[in-house]
């Protein structure tokens, strides 16, 4: 990795990689990249996740310390700490559920559930602050082109449950949202936080890009 960075000598590196709960990839990989970036003098934007939080306090701004409750969250939290330790001028950008133009895992799941080709439910008690991929990309480019450093939050400005998000996706895509099954994550065996709401207002004040909420970016086209 160090050899590649030295040869390319990039001005900015944006790290959006993740290996799930694989510690070597998700926790250690970003730190090695940060070391290489610091040595070459490259800016580093490291994309992290709201999975670093437990949901115990629900609302989380950039000053909140990670308290993960899953292996993936622990790996992302470790990466944040390591990245900022070896590259103090790096940006750690935490985000939430990323929604695209029909291509995200969340959108595909809604289509499959509505079509009856997938089993499962959309939780009504699992709440996040979804962000549109275009808003996220633009915000990351702004952070990359400036001199920001440290922790930044890039979540949408509206909290939605997985089911509420699914209904908005279904209506945008002209699907029957009544076919989307509901359930409670609290009643399931799935690990992880229930209600994690990234407070992105401090970061938003520094950006030209507006981090829209789901009701806005999922409004059906006329």
């Amino acid at each position: 990795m160090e050899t590649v960075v030295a040869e390319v000598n990039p001005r900015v590196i944006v790290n959006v990689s993740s290996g799930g709960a694989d510690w070597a990839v998700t926790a250690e990989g970003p730190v090695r990249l940060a070391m290489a970036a610091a040595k070459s003098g490259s800016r580093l934007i490291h994309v992290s996740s709201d999975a670093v939080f437990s949901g115990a306090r629900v609302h989380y701004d950039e000053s909140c310390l990670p308290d993960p409750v899953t292996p993936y969250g622990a790996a992302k939290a470790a990466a944040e700490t390591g990245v900022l330790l070896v590259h103090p001028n790096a940006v750690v950008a935490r985000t939430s559920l990323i929604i695209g133009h029909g291509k995200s895992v969340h959108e595909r799941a809604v289509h499959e559930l509505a079509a009856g080709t997938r089993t499962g439910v959309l939780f009504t008690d699992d709440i996040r602050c979804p962000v549109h991929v275009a808003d996220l990309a633009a915000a990351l480019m702004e952070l990359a082109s400036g001199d920001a450093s440290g922790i930044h939050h890039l979540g949408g400005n509206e909290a939605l449950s997985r089911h509420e998000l699914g209904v908005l996706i279904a209506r945008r895509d002209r699907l029957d949202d009544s076919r989307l099954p509901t359930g409670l994550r609290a009643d399931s065996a799935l690990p992880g936080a229930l209600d994690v709401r990234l407070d992105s207002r401090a970061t938003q004040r520094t950006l030209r890009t507006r981090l829209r909420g789901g009701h806005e970016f999922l409004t059906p086209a006329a």
Side-chain angles (χ1 to χ4, degrees):
M1 185 181 297
E2 183 177 317
T3 301
V4 173
V5 172
E7 289 179 354
V8 176
N9 192 29
R11 185 176 68 85
V12 179
I13 300 171
V14 180
N15 178 33
V16 296
S17 64
S18 176
D22 186 322
W23 191 267
V25 176
T26 302
E28 298 174 7
V31 179
R32 292 198 296 271
L33 179 60
M35 292 173 67
K39 186 174 181 178
S40 71
S42 303
R43 277 185 57 72
L44 176 64
I45 312 298
H46 172 69
V47 179
S48 190
S49 167
D50 58 11
V52 302
F53 297 123
S54 70
R57 60 179 296 162
V58 179
H59 298 276
Y60 293 88
D61 64 18
E62 289 87 345
S63 69
C64 295
L65 297 177
D67 60 341
V69 291
T70 64
Y72 171 66
K76 295 296 283 188
E80 291 185 1
T81 300
V83 164
L84 292 177
L85 179 64
V86 302
H87 195 331
N89 292 324
V91 168
V92 169
R94 296 180 182 133
T95 191
S96 191
L97 303 183
I98 302 172
I99 306 300
H101 299 282
K103 297 180 180 180
S104 72
V105 294
H106 316 291
E107 290 161 287
R108 291 198 300 270
V110 168
H111 276 251
E112 292 166 3
L113 286 168
T117 59
R118 179 190 183 113
T119 59
V121 299
L122 294 177
F123 297 124
T124 58
D125 60 344
D126 186 333
I127 299 171
R128 299 293 187 272
C129 293
V131 64
H132 194 277
V133 65
D135 296 349
L136 177 59
L140 289 172
M141 289 302 295
E142 280 197 59
L143 292 173
S145 63
D147 58 1
S149 62
I151 303 290
H152 291 74
H153 282 185
L154 299 177
N157 64 19
E158 179 182 18
L160 295 169
S161 72
R162 299 268 183 167
H163 180 256
E164 289 171 327
L165 178 62
V167 168
L168 291 177
I169 291 170
R171 291 176 179 174
R172 179 200 65 183
D173 296 344
R174 306 297 195 268
L175 304 175
D176 183 358
D177 61 82
S178 69
R179 293 180 57 85
L180 299 176
T182 64
L184 294 174
R185 182 165 184 162
D187 292 339
S188 77
L190 290 176
L194 291 180
D195 194 342
V196 175
R197 309 184 191 200
L198 286 187
D199 182 344
S200 303
R201 288 176 294 178
T203 296
Q204 178 67 89
R205 286 193 289 271
T206 71
L207 299 174
R208 296 184 304 276
T209 300
R210 195 161 65 85
L211 300 167
R212 297 170 294 167
H215 272 91
E216 183 174 355
F217 66 72
L218 287 169
T219 298

